[in-house]
Amino acid sequence: MPLTPETLTRHELVGLRTRVVESTNPDSVGIVGRVVDETMRTLVIEGDRVRRVPKRGTTFEFALPQRTDEAADAEKASGTAPELPSETAGRTGQSDGCEDVAYVTVDGARLLSRPALRTEKAGVSTWR
């Protein structure tokens, strides 16, 4: 299954670049980095330092690499942007004008589950 905005919540998040855009904890807003670990209720983000951010009450923005023209068409249709809007670009440093990256915003509540179960395709689990 290709990594698209529609399938992001069914994929492995470790390794993706992310930014906290909203949070019930105002100190978490603006955290930028790469996801280095994921638990059922948290994402561990490594940026200027390693931080554990709760999923509940947090909105994340993920940078998805675009691999094919087909994936790019799907991302354009889903309303993703090829770069961050200018008002947020200076704050995060993520938007460098790369045309091969799309930014997708996800409510952390959609990610509240065990990563191994969330990323299963279907049918009988290989983890049992």
Side-chain angles (χ1 to χ4, degrees), residues 6 12 15-16 20 29 49 52 54-55 72 75 79 83 101 106-107 109 120-121 123 125:
E6 292 78 22
E12 178 70 41
L16 293 178
V20 177
V29 176
R49 62 186 177 126
R52 185 173 299 270
K55 293 176 183 176
E75 288 169 357
E83 60 183 52
V101 176
V106 177
D107 182 3
E120 287 181 2
K121 304 253 189 281
S125 171

Side-chain angles (χ1 to χ4, degrees), residues 8 11 15 21 23 47 54 56-58 62 65 68 81 85 88 99 111 113 122 126:
L8 175 67
H11 277 273
V21 292
S23 178
R56 186 178 308 278
T58 306
F62 292 95
T68 65
T88 60
E99 294 180 14
L111 304 171
S113 62
T126 58

Side-chain angles (χ1 to χ4, degrees), residues 34-115:
R34 190 166 304 280
V35 178
V36 292
D37 192 20
E38 180 183 11
T39 67
M40 191 169 154
R41 294 184 179 92
T42 65
L43 287 181
V44 178
I45 302 171
E46 181 177 34
D48 56 343
R49 62 186 177 126
V50 178
R51 300 178 191 190
R52 185 173 299 270
V53 180
K55 293 176 183 176
R56 186 178 308 278
T58 306
T59 302
F60 299 94
E61 184 175 67
F62 292 95
L64 301 183
Q66 295 180 3
R67 295 200 171 100
T68 65
D69 291 335
E70 188 175 291
D73 290 341
E75 288 169 357
K76 285 178 187 173
S78 70
T80 60
E83 60 183 52
L84 291 175
S86 59
E87 65 270 8
T88 60
R91 190 171 65 218
T92 67
Q94 279 186 335
S95 180
D96 55 6
C98 294
E99 294 180 14
D100 59 343
V101 176
Y103 294 90
V104 181
T105 305
V106 177
D107 182 3
R110 291 185 58 203
L111 304 171
L112 283 172
S113 62
R114 294 189 188 281

